[in-house]
Amino acid sequence: MRLHRLDITAFGPFGEAQRVDFDALSAAGLFLLQGPTGAGKTSVLDAVCYALYGAVPGARQSGQGMNLRSDHAEVRTRTEVRLELTVAGRRLEITRQPPWERPKLRGTGTTVDKAQTWLREYDSAAGGWKDRSRSHQEIGEEITQLLGMSREQFCQVVLLPQGDFARFLRSDAEARGRLLGRLFDTRRFADVEKRLAERRRAAEARVREGDAALLADAHRMQQEAGDAMELPELAPGEPGLAAAVLGAAAVARSTARERLTVARCRLDAAESAHEAARHALREIRELARLQARFTEARQRAERLAERSDAHREARDRMERARKAEAVAPALELRESAEAEHRRAGRAETRARAALPGTHADTGAASLAAAARRAAEELGALDAARRAERRLAALAEERAGLDREERADEDVLREADAWLADWDTTREALRTRVETAQEAATRAEQLAVQRETMRGRLAAARTRDALAAELEETRQQALAAEQHVLDTRAHWLDLKEQRLEGIAAELAAHLTDGTPCAVCGATEHPAPARKDAGHVDRAGEDRALAAHQRAEEQHAEHARRLGVVREALAAATAEAGDTPTARLAAEAEELQQRHARARRDASALHAAHEELRRTEVEREQRLADRQQAAVRAASRLTRRESLEREQGALEEELTKARGAAGSVAARAAQLERKAALFTEAADAVRAAEDTAQRLKTADARLADAAYRAGFDTPQAAAAALLDAAAHRELQHRLDAWQTEEAAVRAVLAEPDTAAAAQQPPADPATAERTAAAAERRLREAASARDAADRCRAELDRLSARATEAVRRLAPLRDEYDRVARLAALTSGTAADNERKMRLESYVLAARLEQVAAAATARLWRMSSGRYTLVHSDDRTGRGRSGLGLHVVDAWTGRERDTATLSGGETFFASLALALGLADVVTDEAGGVRLDTLFIDEGFGSLDDQTLDEVLDVLDSLRERDRSVGIVSHVPDLRRRIHAQLEVVKGRSGSALRQRGV
């Protein structure tokens, strides 16, 4: 970069227009920018920086806009900075006008004009300036790209502020890091650190999420296993969690299997005991049957003995029956009444037998009252029926909660499976978006290039057409020029002929005695005579008119030739020398590339939409998972509430049921009780009526029996036999004989007799023993089922935990890898011995390069005494990497740069600034910096050191550089002849160049 000219108007302390000819100043290689303090030396550098970047350096950055304006300027003079320079082989002119407040053109008051910027480029082929842009942003981007430096870098490597580098020498590592970070643009390394930290946090969150799910499964296993499983006190994300959970799960599964084995053994023992109890019960029941058979036979024998007299009486009765035939009608009447009475009595007996014992002798009225009370108690069971229905509804609701729980488990499982692939899906979609975005950007760039190429192609076609037209026009112009020459020659020939024949014209008007108009003679002895080829004035005028017309046509052709040439030059300047076919091919290629880029960019909206949809779906999945967890907690609370309500209802139903199995059974009992009491009341009333009729029949029978010769009616009745009674009596006599034979046969059986010799059997005790064995069997089976269910659930949860650990293994590996990289780049890793961040490491390498470049000049400035070295010693918070030491060759020791004296600090900082300029220049892609400025600090040097410093600066001319020193030191004015003096005055400062 080389500066040529700087024009300043109403800027800073300069109220009027000022011009700096850097070409003249740079011819000497070293020039001085001098003037009194406050005159505006630094403002010249500010103007250069403002022209390039639209802002002033360092702490003067607040000088944007209207406060850049000079207070000495006329009110209608606008602030303007124009800089002409050559950079990257291009000669450019940049003009910047900051916003300013000016008087209104009409009326009173002021108005603010916006900032304006122009960029022009010198076209050597056309020999003039061409406008390139009026956009602030485009001009800023193009200048930054051409220079390869940001404003901060430019202010450090071109406008070398010695005060900043002196502070750099004395500052700590953190301050050096900030300066070097601005100069070398290490934001990408800081972005790497930030990206790794973000990836570490994201991986840690995924690992914690997986560990939380693993711990949830572990807690469920602990609930199933009870005291057989102990979980360590580990939080999600802590190392060893997966191994601890799997180890505890293995112990729990082993314990569950042991418990299942014990439960199965107990079940086998209970089954054996139950079978033995059932066999013993069958034997006791058989013994009891035989003993009952023997007892019954003995009792039948005793009854036969007791009825022996009755048997004799039966034989006698057969005789007496014939006597009772006279009493038969009365007997029939009495038997009818007695039969009715017996039926009523039997009905009463049956009804009373069905009643509770306390009501065996109750009257009909009391029984009716008891029936009414049972009916009332039956009506009171409606509440119990509702409670029973509510209990059934509770069971159904609990079943519904179980179904919801299974559904939520499915939701969680599906959400976990979907979210496990979220990072991969999101990264793929982001890649699609970035690819499409890059294609869109590329399409925009190609569109600009395409339009430019189209313009060049049109210009090339115009160039080709104009080239052909130029040749045609040149031929026409040449022909017109020849025609002009021909008509001029013809006109001159005619004119010469006319002049030759003009004497004949004059002689034609001569008369004797009249003076000649030419010679004045009055005598005309030999007047000239007209010949045949005489040309008169009209012929000459026609030739002249033809010549003038030819000149006009030639002028028109010349003008047309000039127009075609100008158009051809303009088209050639725009299209260049590239053939039209090649431009057309390049334009077609750009068109195709632009079409491909647009096709690729057309997927941007779809990629954005798909990314948005997947993010919405992720949020929905997370919400579903959260809602499932909330519903799980709600179900737990609801289950507890249902269990409490169920317990209360069961207690209420237990009271309402009493000894019955259900409310319906209790209602059936009450209905039966009411019916029994009602039936008993009816039976008692019927028995009372038949008893009265029997009494009447007894009275009649007594009269008939007395007349028939019987002492009592009973005797007559007993004596009277009908055919049925006769058959019955005969049957009784036969049955007597049969019974007697059967009893004798039973008493003679060996098994029955042997059973009678044994102790009495106790079936009730055997039944209780069998019932207890059956209860123990059920309990053992329930214990076995519970142990089997626990074992199966632990196996399922353990398998899921193992699968979760397997899925988490890559995430843990990724987290460990990213965490190590993040710790390494952030300087917190244990193996990062010097605690250097990645950005600090890069800056340390740059600082080492700067120190090496600065040492070459510092060694000359200090007469071989000092060299700068980079140090990795730790400073502040245990970090290292940005230390800077100076090695004193006189003492052989290395010390901190903060220990340098004032003059030593100056030339050390100057050497550092020049070295930094070289390194940043190389970093910027080798952009050549032909103009440098060094601001102040020379007053601290003695004469010898000043000579050495100036020699070093003068050596920069070997690389065709020019160095401007900004200083007010008087000795420099004597040493440096080329000077730019800033003169301070009451109406503002002015610039004067000396020695150029």
Side-chain angles (χ1 to χ4, degrees):
M1 180 199 75
R2 178 177 294 278
L3 305 183
H4 299 293
R5 189 186 76 253
L6 175 67
D7 294 321
I8 305 173
T9 303
F11 182 87
F14 306 104
E16 298 180 355
Q18 305 292 328
R19 169 169 290 191
V20 179
D21 188 354
F22 284 111
D23 286 336
L25 292 172
S26 301
L30 193 65
F31 64 90
L32 178 67
L33 177 58
Q34 57 95 6
T37 302
K41 299 187 295 296
T42 306
S43 295
V44 176
L45 308 185
D46 290 347
V48 173
C49 184
Y50 181 74
L52 292 173
Y53 294 97
V56 295
R60 300 185 296 280
Q61 290 182 29
S62 59
Q64 301 293 319
M66 291 183 290
N67 53 359
L68 292 175
R69 180 174 174 78
S70 175
D71 296 332
H72 303 285
E74 291 292 334
V75 67
R76 295 189 179 277
T77 301
R78 179 157 190 174
T79 302
E80 181 180 276
V81 176
R82 180 181 292 110
L83 177 65
E84 183 180 338
L85 74 160
T86 297
V87 59
R90 299 171 61 185
R91 186 155 184 161
L92 303 176
E93 181 187 80
I94 308 170
T95 303
R96 292 189 186 270
Q97 294 180 351
W100 73 303
E101 187 175 4
R102 62 168 178 80
K104 293 182 177 179
L105 299 178
R106 297 181 180 179
T108 60
T110 60
T111 184
V112 177
D113 282 350
K114 296 181 180 179
Q116 297 186 29
T117 305
W118 294 270
L119 175 64
R120 298 198 304 168
E121 183 175 1
Y122 185 77
D123 188 350
S124 57
W129 294 92
K130 287 190 175 181
D131 292 333
R132 289 303 182 194
S133 177
R134 294 179 63 102
S135 169
H136 301 289
Q137 183 177 2
E138 290 180 0
I139 295 173
E141 291 177 355
E142 184 165 2
I143 294 300
T144 302
Q145 184 176 3
L146 288 174
L147 292 176
M149 291 180 288
S150 64
R151 180 174 57 84
E152 290 79 5
Q153 291 175 313
F154 179 84
C155 294
Q156 290 293 124
V157 302
V158 178
L159 312 179
L160 304 179
Q162 295 305 298
D164 287 353
F165 282 96
R167 286 191 296 273
F168 182 83
L169 288 172
R170 295 187 174 92
S171 61
D172 56 10
E174 184 177 358
R176 288 173 182 164
R178 287 196 297 269
L179 175 61
L180 294 174
R182 292 195 304 270
L183 293 178
F184 293 104
D185 191 15
T186 57
R187 289 175 295 179
R188 59 187 183 276
F189 301 103
D191 292 340
V192 169
E193 296 177 23
K194 181 178 178 182
R195 175 60 177 163
L196 286 174
E198 291 175 352
R199 288 189 59 185
R200 178 188 60 78
R201 288 192 293 271
E204 183 180 7
R206 292 197 298 271
V207 170
R208 286 182 177 274
E209 183 179 354
D211 284 350
L214 183 61
L215 278 178
D217 287 341
H219 287 306
R220 285 196 285 272
M221 285 190 283
Q222 189 178 34
Q223 292 175 358
E224 290 290 338
D227 56 358
M229 181 176 180
E230 294 183 0
L231 285 176
E233 295 296 331
L234 291 175
E238 293 187 20
L241 175 64
V245 170
L246 293 181
V251 173
R253 291 199 310 275
S254 177
T255 304
R257 288 188 174 89
E258 291 176 357
R259 289 181 176 177
L260 178 60
T261 302
V262 172
R264 286 172 175 170
C265 293
R266 290 178 178 174
L267 178 61
D268 293 340
E271 288 177 346
S272 299
H274 178 255
E275 185 62 29
R278 290 180 61 191
H279 180 69
L281 178 60
R282 287 194 297 270
E283 291 182 348
I284 291 296
R285 285 176 175 171
E286 180 62 20
L287 179 61
R289 186 185 66 80
L290 293 174
Q291 289 180 347
R293 180 178 177 82
F294 181 80
T295 302
E296 182 185 3
R298 290 288 301 273
Q299 291 174 354
R300 288 164 63 190
E302 292 175 356
R303 286 196 297 271
L304 286 175
E306 292 174 356
R307 295 202 305 269
S308 59
D309 294 338
H311 179 64
R312 288 190 296 270
E313 290 177 358
R315 290 196 303 265
D316 294 341
R317 189 176 181 186
M318 292 291 289
E319 293 295 330
R320 296 177 61 190
R322 289 189 296 270
K323 297 179 180 180
E325 291 180 358
V327 191
L331 285 174
E332 290 178 358
L333 179 61
R334 197 264 178 191
E335 285 177 358
S336 176
E338 186 179 15
E340 292 180 359
H341 180 60
R342 281 197 303 270
R343 284 195 298 272
R346 284 195 300 271
E348 180 183 4
T349 301
R350 286 196 302 271
R352 288 186 180 277
L355 295 176
T358 56
H359 298 280
D361 299 329
T362 306
S366 299
L367 292 173
R372 286 194 299 274
R373 287 194 300 273
E376 292 173 357
E377 188 176 355
L378 178 62
L381 288 178
D382 291 340
R385 288 192 179 93
R386 288 193 298 272
E388 194 171 41
R389 289 192 297 272
R390 175 57 182 163
L391 192 62
L394 290 179
E396 180 62 26
E397 186 172 356
R398 290 190 64 180
L401 291 178
D402 292 339
R403 289 192 297 273
E404 289 180 1
E405 182 176 9
R406 291 191 294 273
D408 284 342
E409 287 179 355
D410 293 339
V411 169
L412 288 173
R413 185 162 48 253
E414 183 179 355
D416 290 340
W418 191 92
L419 291 173
D421 297 332
W422 162 244
D423 290 333
T424 304
T425 302
R426 179 179 59 183
E427 190 65 27
L429 290 176
R430 285 182 174 176
T431 302
R432 285 180 56 192
V433 171
E434 292 173 359
T435 302
Q437 186 66 51
E438 291 175 357
T441 304
R442 190 165 63 254
E444 294 178 359
Q445 296 172 350
L446 290 174
V448 175
Q449 297 176 10
R450 182 191 62 181
E451 294 303 320
T452 303
M453 183 57 67
R454 285 178 176 175
R456 290 188 62 190
L457 179 59
R461 289 170 176 166
T462 304
R463 177 197 63 193
D464 296 344
L466 289 175
E469 185 179 356
L470 177 65
E471 183 62 27
E472 181 182 355
T473 306
R474 183 184 293 110
Q475 296 298 327
Q476 293 176 354
L478 291 174
E481 184 179 5
Q482 184 64 40
H483 184 58
V484 168
L485 295 176
D486 293 342
T487 56
R488 179 178 177 81
H490 178 64
W491 170 58
L492 291 176
D493 290 342
L494 291 180
K495 185 175 182 180
E496 183 178 358
Q497 292 177 14
R498 182 173 175 273
L499 288 175
E500 292 176 353
I502 197 169
E505 289 185 12
L506 293 174
H509 298 285
L510 290 178
T511 58
D512 293 336
T514 303
C516 179
V518 177
C519 63
T522 57
E523 293 180 358
H524 315 290
R529 296 287 183 267
K530 292 182 179 180
D531 55 13
H534 176 70
V535 178
D536 57 8
R537 185 176 184 85
E540 181 186 357
D541 289 342
R542 286 193 299 272
L544 177 59
H547 172 61
Q548 289 175 344
R549 287 195 300 272
E551 284 186 337
E552 290 176 357
Q553 292 176 358
H554 176 260
E556 176 63 23
H557 285 296
R559 185 193 63 79
R560 175 61 181 165
L561 181 60
V563 170
V564 173
R565 281 176 176 171
E566 290 179 0
L568 177 60
T572 304
E574 184 174 359
D577 297 332
T578 306
T580 304
R582 181 178 175 184
L583 290 178
E586 292 178 357
E588 180 63 25
E589 181 183 0
L590 282 175
Q591 175 64 28
Q592 294 176 359
R593 290 171 58 192
H594 178 261
R596 288 195 298 270
R598 288 200 60 183
R599 284 196 301 272
D600 295 339
S602 63
L604 179 60
H605 178 71
H608 272 302
E609 286 299 315
E610 187 171 357
L611 178 59
R612 183 188 62 79
R613 286 195 298 272
T614 54
E615 289 176 346
V616 169
E617 184 175 0
R618 175 177 178 268
E619 296 299 328
Q620 184 62 42
R621 297 278 187 177
L622 291 174
D624 291 343
R625 187 169 62 182
Q626 177 102 23
Q627 291 172 2
V630 171
R631 287 196 298 272
S634 176
R635 279 196 300 274
L636 182 60
T637 304
R638 182 57 180 165
R639 274 201 179 95
E640 293 176 354
S641 175
L642 292 177
E643 288 174 357
R644 288 194 299 272
E645 184 179 0
Q646 186 177 10
L649 291 174
E650 288 178 349
E651 183 179 356
E652 179 183 351
L653 289 175
T654 301
K655 293 179 181 178
R657 287 194 301 263
S662 64
V663 175
R666 178 60 177 163
Q669 289 178 357
L670 291 175
E671 290 176 353
R672 188 168 59 254
K673 183 177 180 182
L676 291 175
F677 278 117
T678 301
E679 183 180 357
D682 295 339
V684 169
R685 284 192 291 269
E688 290 176 352
D689 293 340
T690 56
Q692 184 61 38
R693 289 195 295 271
L694 179 59
K695 185 177 179 181
T696 303
D698 282 341
R700 292 180 181 177
L701 179 59
D703 292 341
Y706 179 75
R707 289 192 297 268
F710 289 96
D711 294 335
T712 61
Q714 290 79 7
L720 183 62
L721 292 174
D722 55 10
H726 185 272
R727 286 193 300 271
E728 180 183 358
L729 184 58
Q730 187 63 45
H731 176 71
R732 286 171 59 190
L733 292 174
D734 295 338
W736 170 270
Q737 292 175 357
T738 303
E739 179 71 10
E740 184 178 18
V743 167
R744 287 175 182 172
V746 171
L747 293 177
E749 291 177 355
D751 292 339
T752 304
Q757 300 300 322
Q758 296 183 14
D762 190 1
T765 301
E767 289 176 354
R768 286 194 297 272
T769 302
E774 185 177 2
R775 184 175 64 255
R776 287 193 295 273
L777 177 61
R778 288 196 302 271
E779 292 174 353
S782 299
R784 190 275 314 273
D785 293 341
D788 192 22
R789 184 192 60 78
C790 179
R791 188 266 311 161
E793 184 66 13
L794 286 176
D795 287 345
R796 184 184 69 81
L797 292 174
S798 180
R800 191 165 75 176
T802 303
E803 178 63 20
V805 170
R806 186 189 64 77
R807 290 197 309 270
L808 280 175
L811 292 179
R812 292 184 189 279
D813 293 341
E814 180 185 0
Y815 168 68
D816 293 340
R817 182 173 62 257
V818 172
R820 285 196 302 272
L821 285 175
L824 182 64
T825 56
S826 64
T828 58
D831 52 354
N832 191 339
E833 297 178 358
R834 298 187 180 277
K835 305 299 182 184
M836 291 180 66
R837 293 172 50 237
L838 177 61
E839 185 179 14
S840 299
Y841 177 77
V842 175
L843 292 178
R846 293 291 187 266
L847 182 59
E848 189 173 5
Q849 295 174 354
V850 171
T855 295
R857 295 185 175 89
L858 179 60
W859 188 82
R860 290 184 58 186
M861 293 180 188
S862 62
S863 300
R865 179 178 179 182
Y866 294 120
T867 57
L868 288 174
V869 295
H870 166 252
S871 173
D872 283 337
D873 293 340
R874 295 187 180 183
T875 59
R877 297 185 296 176
R879 297 182 184 269
S880 61
L882 296 179
L884 193 62
H885 290 176
V886 62
V887 178
D888 191 342
W890 290 3
T891 62
R893 293 185 177 182
E894 181 179 330
R895 54 193 173 98
D896 194 271
T897 54
T899 62
L900 294 172
S901 65
E904 293 170 341
T905 300
F906 167 74
F907 59 72
S909 62
L910 177 59
L912 185 66
L914 294 174
L916 183 64
D918 292 340
V919 174
V920 173
T921 299
D922 295 337
E923 179 74 12
V927 176
R928 182 177 176 83
L929 301 178
D930 296 319
T931 306
L932 298 177
F933 295 92
I934 302 174
D935 191 359
E936 288 299 344
F938 292 88
S940 60
L941 304 179
D942 56 35
D943 291 342
Q944 181 180 355
T945 305
L946 182 60
D947 289 338
E948 293 172 348
V949 170
L950 290 178
D951 287 343
V952 172
L953 295 178
D954 193 57
S955 68
L956 295 176
R957 288 188 295 177
E958 298 173 0
R959 300 175 62 182
D960 196 23
R961 281 184 176 177
S962 61
V963 180
I965 298 177
V966 183
S967 179
H968 56 273
V969 176
D971 194 27
L972 290 176
R973 290 199 295 271
R974 293 190 300 272
R975 295 170 182 264
I976 302 174
H977 300 289
Q979 299 178 8
L980 176 62
E981 182 182 5
V982 183
V983 181
K984 182 168 61 174
R986 300 178 66 86
S987 60
S989 298
L991 297 174
R992 289 188 297 199
Q993 295 186 196
R994 298 177 181 274
V996 296

